[in-house]
Amino acid sequence: GMDKVMAASRHKDGVVVFVAPTKALINQIAAQVYGTFHSAFGIYTDAYRHRALTCRILITVPECFEALLMSPANTTWAQKIRYVILDEIHCISSPEEGALWERILLLLPCPFIALSATVGHPEVFTAWLQRIKDAQRETDEAAGVACDESYAVRLVQHHERFVDLRRHIYTGSPSWDPSDSKGAAKAVAYAKLHLRARVDHTSATLEGADCLQTLHPLVSFTQAQLDAADVPTNLKFEPKDSLALLNAMQSVLRREGDASPLASERGGLIGKLDPTAFFAAAGGGSGFITRPEAVAYEVAVKAELTEWMRE
């Protein structure tokens, strides 16, 4: 979207707006945009403004973007907007900020893309967005506003994550006393780990690691999901999560015994999920497991879990 707007000869002063919910994301996106487009970017937050109305790519938070769209003084600028990127669109479900995101959707004068990695049932959300754009089209037509852009909303899904999510719960630690100066120093040292790349924050050798407990993704399962025998497609595993689930199912089979109905029905299939057998059958002979192969293994283990839930 940014490349097309920047290169378009029809609208040489066209503007792209990138909307993100937090200032931390604003700074991150601004650095990425600067690396690609250099001085073409601008920032607008309640604390900092940089070329907000003269840039080609504006990076802003929802509150400030709504204020710009609502201001009569910015009408000419708003007419230059050719594309809007709404990052973390799942924030629209927030009781505090949801109405703000809805108003922005109704005010948009151009095509948009809404991004999220955590929207459940995206088809339902897409249908809702389509109703919003249909209402906007009716309003534009009644007002005689000419628009040469489509009001259709399309759903584009990518089912692979390029960065795994690891879930933790903060449990505290008897050895970590916030009132103690050494405890405070320990907290600061642990916080600094998050600024370092390629650090396993769950390693027992790191200061403060005893305050976090790793959670398997299935810990978020509800009774309704169990009853429906449904593993949501957006519930992604790390490779070690897939192996942990297999180990748990193998443990159940051992507890039930070889003569149990469960062992007779599922034992053979569980055996095929042994990593050595699975990846050999998949043709892996290099000694290395590729990411697509790990994803295929995740799918197979989840499918077996689904069968267990159904039975």
Side-chain angles (χ1 to χ4, degrees), residues 243 246 250 269-280 297:
L243 187 59
L246 174 69
Q250 289 174 331
L269 295 170
I270 286 291
K272 293 180 180 179
L273 290 176
D274 178 85
T276 302
F278 181 90
F279 292 110
Y297 184 69

Side-chain angles (χ1 to χ4, degrees), residues 27 30 41-42 49 67 87 91 113 131-132 146 151 165 173 207-208 212 251 265 274 283 288 299 309:
N27 293 333
F41 83 101
R49 300 182 188 183
D87 197 16
C91 292
I113 181 171
R131 291 195 294 271
I132 292 289
Y151 290 87
L165 292 179
S173 170
E207 272 195 307
L212 290 180
S251 177
E265 292 176 11
D274 178 85
F288 295 95
V299 171
M309 290 191 291

Side-chain angles (χ1 to χ4, degrees), residues 11-256:
H11 303 290
K12 294 184 178 181
D13 58 349
V15 174
V16 178
V17 180
F18 193 108
V19 183
T22 66
K23 295 176 185 176
L25 277 173
I26 294 296
N27 293 333
Q28 177 184 337
I29 298 302
Q32 294 174 348
V33 171
Y34 177 76
T36 303
F37 299 102
H38 306 295
S39 60
F41 83 101
I43 297 178
Y44 185 16
T45 69
D46 57 353
Y48 179 71
R49 300 182 188 183
H50 172 70
R51 301 184 63 233
L53 298 180
T54 59
C55 64
R56 297 289 307 279
I57 303 173
L58 175 64
I59 307 161
T60 185
V61 291
E63 298 86 349
C64 294
F65 186 41
E66 182 189 32
L68 289 172
L69 292 175
M70 293 290 290
S71 172
N74 297 324
T75 302
T76 301
W77 172 81
Q79 292 173 349
K80 298 178 182 179
I81 301 176
R82 297 290 173 259
Y83 207 80
V84 174
I85 302 169
L86 303 169
D87 197 16
E88 310 289 352
I89 191 61
H90 53 266
C91 292
I92 201 169
S93 64
S94 167
E96 296 82 14
E97 301 177 356
L100 171 60
W101 287 85
E102 289 183 26
R103 292 193 298 270
I104 287 175
L105 284 167
L106 288 170
L107 290 168
L108 291 182
C110 63
F112 70 92
I113 181 171
L115 305 174
S116 177
T118 58
V119 169
H121 304 292
E123 298 83 2
V124 176
F125 184 55
T126 302
W128 181 83
L129 285 174
Q130 185 61 68
R131 291 195 294 271
I132 292 289
K133 300 310 289 183
D134 288 343
Q136 186 181 36
R137 178 180 56 191
E138 293 175 1
T139 302
D140 290 348
E141 290 175 350
V145 177
C147 181
D148 56 0
E149 303 290 351
S150 172
Y151 290 87
V153 178
R154 294 189 303 117
L155 173 63
V156 179
Q157 298 187 74
H158 296 276
H159 296 290
E160 283 192 37
R161 291 192 64 93
F162 293 95
V163 179
D164 289 323
L165 292 179
R166 183 171 299 170
R167 299 154 180 85
H168 306 90
I169 184 171
Y170 174 73
T171 60
S173 170
S175 63
W176 192 336
D177 182 4
S179 64
D180 178 34
S181 60
K182 293 183 179 179
K186 188 176 181 181
V188 171
Y190 182 70
K192 287 181 178 179
L193 291 175
H194 294 270
L195 302 177
R196 291 165 47 191
R198 297 181 296 278
V199 170
D200 181 356
H201 297 157
T202 62
S203 172
T205 63
L206 297 176
E207 272 195 307
D210 54 341
C211 296
L212 290 180
Q213 179 180 343
T214 305
L215 298 177
H216 193 280
L218 290 177
V219 77
S220 64
F221 245 44
T222 65
Q223 187 60 47
Q225 288 171 318
L226 288 172
D227 294 340
D230 174 44
V231 181
T233 56
N234 63 348
L235 187 67
K236 299 299 183 182
F237 286 6
E238 285 187 87
K240 71 172 187 175
D241 296 329
S242 302
L243 187 59
L245 177 56
L246 174 69
N247 291 337
M249 290 190 287
Q250 289 174 331
S251 177
V252 172
L253 288 179
R254 288 193 296 267
R255 187 172 66 247
E256 293 291 321

